[in-house]
Amino acid sequence: EPEVTQTPSHQVTQMGQEVILRCVPISNHLYFYWYRQILGQKVEFLVSFYNNEISEKSEIFDDQFSVERPDGSNFTLKIRSTKLEDSAMYFCASSKRQGAFQPQHFGDGTRLSIL
Amino acid sequence: AQKITQTQPGMFVQEKEAVTLDCTYDTSDPSYGLFWYKQPSSGEMIFLIYQGSYDQQNATEGRYSLNFQKARKSANLVISASQLGDSAMYFCAMREGVWSGGGADGLTFGKGTHLIIQP
C-alpha cells in the first residue's frame, strides 16, 4: 500500500540553525500537510499546501516556517533560526482531495531535537 | 472550548475483550469528518477509520467500528477482540467543511487515550 515517506527519522540541530524536513507524499495525492506534536501533547496543524501554494496555515506557522515543493515528488518544511521549543515530532500528511470527508495519511514523522 | 474531547487519558483492558474509546466533538459546521488514528510507541500515526457527518451508517473497518451518535456529538471507537498489538495512543480528530470559516484544511486532534492491552 502506498505510504507517505519522511526523512530523516531523527534530526538533531543546534539552536539557531536552519533545518529542512523532507516528505514524499503518496503519488496520486494533491493536498499536503505538516503537523507538529510536542512530546506528550496533542497533534497540531501547521500548514496545508495545494497547487504549489499554501492553502491554509495555523497561528503556529509564523515567519520562521516555510514550505516548498521543489520538484514533483518532495514536499519540505523549513524551520529557520530554530529554538528549543521547536523540538517536537513533525508529521507530513497527504490526501487525494480536499474536504472534510477525505482521510489524511500520515508519514512516520521526523523527531526534531534542538540542543 | 475544546473541539475534540477525549475524556480517558488511559485505559487498561484484558486481551480479547472489546474496548470503547470515547470522543466527543464540538462544531457548528454541518459538514465534517471524524477520524481515528493509532500511534504506537514507535511514533507513527496510522489512520484507522473515518465517519462523515452525513453518513447514515456507522463506519466499520475490520475490528474497528465507530459508534457515531450525531445528536450527542460523539464518535466513539470500538475495538472488538482486542490484541496485545492494539496497545498504543489513540487520537480522535475532526476536519470541518468549507463553511467553518477557518481551520477547514487541518485536522483538529484530541489529547488522546493511552490504551494498554494486558495478557
Side-chain angles (χ1 to χ4, degrees), chain A:
Chain A
E1 185 170 326
E3 56 183 29
V4 176
T5 306
Q6 289 187 244
T7 54
S9 56
H10 192 187
Q11 174 83 42
V12 181
T13 302
Q14 289 289 328
M15 187 172 60
Q17 296 295 306
E18 175 181 286
V19 63
I20 296 176
L21 309 181
R22 303 181 191 280
C23 169
V24 178
I26 295 173
S27 61
N28 62 347
H29 285 191
L30 301 177
Y31 295 85
F32 315 124
Y33 314 86
W34 283 101
Y35 291 82
R36 178 182 81 177
Q37 184 183 30
I38 295 171
L39 187 63
Q41 298 186 23
K42 62 181 178 179
V43 179
E44 301 171 293
F45 168 70
L46 292 178
V47 66
S48 58
F49 191 87
Y50 169 70
N51 200 25
N52 279 321
E53 60 182 26
I54 290 175
S55 176
E56 186 171 3
K57 59 184 180 180
S58 72
E59 58 188 23
I60 302 169
F61 193 88
D62 58 21
D63 293 343
Q64 187 192 6
F65 296 90
S66 62
V67 289
E68 191 179 31
R69 187 154 164 84
D71 53 45
S73 60
N74 289 284
F75 178 51
T76 62
L77 174 69
K78 182 188 290 185
I79 309 175
R80 287 179 284 274
S81 190
T82 50
K83 300 174 281 198
L84 294 176
E85 53 265 38
D86 294 327
S87 294
M89 181 77 99
Y90 288 81
F91 290 102
C92 174
S94 68
S95 65
K96 266 188 191 177
R97 292 178 287 276
Q98 195 184 33
F101 309 138
Q102 295 299 318
Q104 295 179 17
H105 296 270
F106 283 67
D108 288 352
T110 293
R111 186 170 298 283
L112 178 63
S113 300
I114 306 300
L115 303 179

